[in-house]
């Protein structure tokens, strides 16, 4: 784990400038979640509108929405692909994203252009540096 000020950045993940993370699994699918920075900025999460399984998304598309006591925020797809699974735990316990943002994913994607799109994402060190600049 890397520290960037008061935020934790988990190594081995890819990050977007919108504070999503992507983890490539051994089977080639990709888990998507939000960073520690994102969950702290949102505040206490009250509701997660999970995407539909089977939904096709392009990199940068809205994947789902998170509602907190402060605001409604969109989560963007870090890579293009099809939603093949969602984390149903979040329907009853959205607060787990606040408690353990790197252990709790939102959706699993079957990517369509993974190798190319990963080049546009940041590794943990680059993301930590980005956090220190904003």
């Amino acid at each position: 784990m890397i520290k960037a000020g008061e935020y934790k950045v988990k190594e081995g993940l890819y990050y977007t400038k919108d504070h999503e993370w992507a983890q490539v699994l051994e089977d080639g699918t990709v888990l998507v979640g939000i960073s520690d920075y994102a969950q702290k900025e949102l505040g206490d999460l009250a509701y997660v509108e999970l995407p539909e399984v089977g939904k096709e998304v392009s990199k940068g598309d809205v994947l789902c929405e998170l509602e907190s006591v402060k605001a409604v925020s969109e989560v963007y797809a870090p890579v293009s692909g099809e939603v093949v699974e969602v984390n149903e735990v979040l329907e009853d316990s959205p607060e787990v994203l606040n408690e353990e943002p790197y252990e709790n994913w939102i959706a699993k994607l079957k990517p369509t252009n993974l190798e190319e799109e990963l080049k546009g994402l940041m590794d943990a060190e680059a993301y930590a540096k980005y956090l220190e600049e904003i």
Side-chain angles (χ1 to χ4, degrees):
M1 201 72 74
I2 299 173
K3 291 288 273 179
E6 64 181 285
Y7 307 109
K8 295 179 197 156
V9 178
K10 185 174 180 181
E11 294 177 272
L13 303 178
Y14 294 90
Y15 294 88
T16 70
K17 288 188 173 183
D18 294 313
H19 312 290
E20 292 89 12
W21 57 258
Q23 178 182 11
V24 181
L25 301 179
E26 286 183 16
D27 65 2
T29 58
V30 175
L31 294 180
V32 179
I34 60 170
S35 71
D36 186 42
Y37 176 89
Q39 70 84 15
K40 282 185 175 152
E41 287 294 302
L42 285 166
D44 293 336
L45 289 166
Y47 178 73
V48 178
E49 184 183 308
L50 293 168
E52 295 280 324
V53 171
K55 177 180 179 175
E56 294 281 343
V57 292
S58 294
K59 181 177 180 175
D61 284 357
V62 174
L63 182 64
C64 69
E65 287 188 343
L66 305 177
E67 290 182 27
S68 72
V69 291
K70 290 183 182 178
V72 175
S73 184
E74 295 173 330
V75 174
Y76 302 99
V79 295
S80 302
E82 177 188 351
V83 177
V84 292
E85 191 178 340
V86 294
N87 186 352
E88 294 179 4
V89 168
L90 300 177
E91 290 183 303
D92 295 325
S93 303
E95 70 279 358
V96 298
L97 289 175
N98 291 115
E99 295 161 6
E100 294 287 345
Y102 298 116
E103 305 305 318
N104 292 287
W105 50 278
I106 295 169
K108 184 188 284 189
L109 302 177
K110 181 179 175 186
T112 52
N113 191 18
L114 185 62
E115 291 303 314
E116 193 59 35
E117 291 180 342
L118 285 179
K119 294 175 189 172
L121 301 177
M122 293 175 275
D123 65 12
E125 285 183 15
Y127 181 65
K129 187 174 182 191
Y130 173 69
L131 288 180
E132 289 170 2
E133 293 170 356
I134 56 174

